[in-house]
Amino acid sequence: MSTRVLIADDSEFMRNLLREILEGEFEIVGEAENGVEAVDMYGEHEPDLVMMDIVMPIRNGIEATEEITSSDPNARVIMCTSVGQEEKMKAAVKAGAEGYITKPFQKPNVLEAINDVVPA
């Protein structure tokens, strides 16, 4: 059974890029454009994994991660971050994120990060 993934990023370009990288090996169950949508879609689809951008409108990735992990302690979230966001990464890990990838994404790094948090 393939791992079900929710992608949360306010950039359509980044969502498309992640979908391209993940398609074939994973099932994309939804795409959220902000933290509020991410939380709603998590509840709706109960994905195995969330690829969560840190910087998003309305509710950012850290707040959304906090909300998801407090309602589902087993939630697996990988943060998508830009170089230079180390402080935000610490906050994200505190919020319950299990891993992170740095933009620009490269397929091997993305898959490696996922394999680290999702048991094969």
Side-chain angles (χ1 to χ4, degrees), residues 25 47 105:
E25 299 188 48
F105 304 136

Side-chain angles (χ1 to χ4, degrees), residues 52-54 60-67 79 87-89 91-92 95:
M52 181 85 75
D53 186 29
I54 287 192
N60 69 33
I62 295 169
E63 293 163 339
T65 298
E66 256 171 8
E67 195 162 331
M79 301 307 287
E87 285 307 309
K88 288 196 177 101
M89 270 317 308

Side-chain angles (χ1 to χ4, degrees), residues 84-99:
Q85 294 185 330
E86 284 75 17
E87 285 307 309
K88 288 196 177 101
M89 270 317 308
K90 287 179 193 156
V93 169
K94 221 177 185 170
E98 290 195 30

Side-chain angles (χ1 to χ4, degrees), residues 63-107:
E63 293 163 339
T65 298
E66 256 171 8
E67 195 162 331
I68 288 170
T69 54
S70 64
S71 68
D72 179 3
N74 298 317
R76 297 194 187 99
V77 180
I78 291 179
M79 301 307 287
C80 306
T81 165
S82 303
V83 174
Q85 294 185 330
E86 284 75 17
E87 285 307 309
K88 288 196 177 101
M89 270 317 308
K90 287 179 193 156
V93 169
K94 221 177 185 170
E98 290 195 30
Y100 66 94
I101 50 176
T102 308
K103 300 172 185 178
F105 304 136
Q106 282 162 327
K107 187 166 184 167

Side-chain angles (χ1 to χ4, degrees), residues 2-100:
S2 63
T3 300
R4 301 168 69 254
V5 182
L6 170 65
I7 296 173
D9 199 308
D10 57 327
S11 153
E12 190 182 353
F13 174 79
M14 294 317 279
R15 292 198 308 274
N16 290 343
L17 189 65
L18 272 173
R19 191 186 325 114
E20 250 167 55
I21 290 174
L22 300 175
E23 254 171 2
E25 299 188 48
F26 303 93
E27 183 190 342
I28 310 296
V29 294
E31 292 185 26
E33 290 182 30
N34 61 57
V36 174
E37 279 184 14
V39 172
D40 290 347
M41 285 184 180
Y42 187 90
E44 193 183 326
H45 299 292
E46 300 182 343
D48 302 308
L49 177 68
V50 185
M51 304 299 287
M52 181 85 75
D53 186 29
I54 287 192
V55 182
M56 290 189 292
I58 309 178
R59 177 173 294 152
N60 69 33
I62 295 169
E63 293 163 339
T65 298
E66 256 171 8
E67 195 162 331
I68 288 170
T69 54
S70 64
S71 68
D72 179 3
N74 298 317
R76 297 194 187 99
V77 180
I78 291 179
M79 301 307 287
C80 306
T81 165
S82 303
V83 174
Q85 294 185 330
E86 284 75 17
E87 285 307 309
K88 288 196 177 101
M89 270 317 308
K90 287 179 193 156
V93 169
K94 221 177 185 170
E98 290 195 30
Y100 66 94

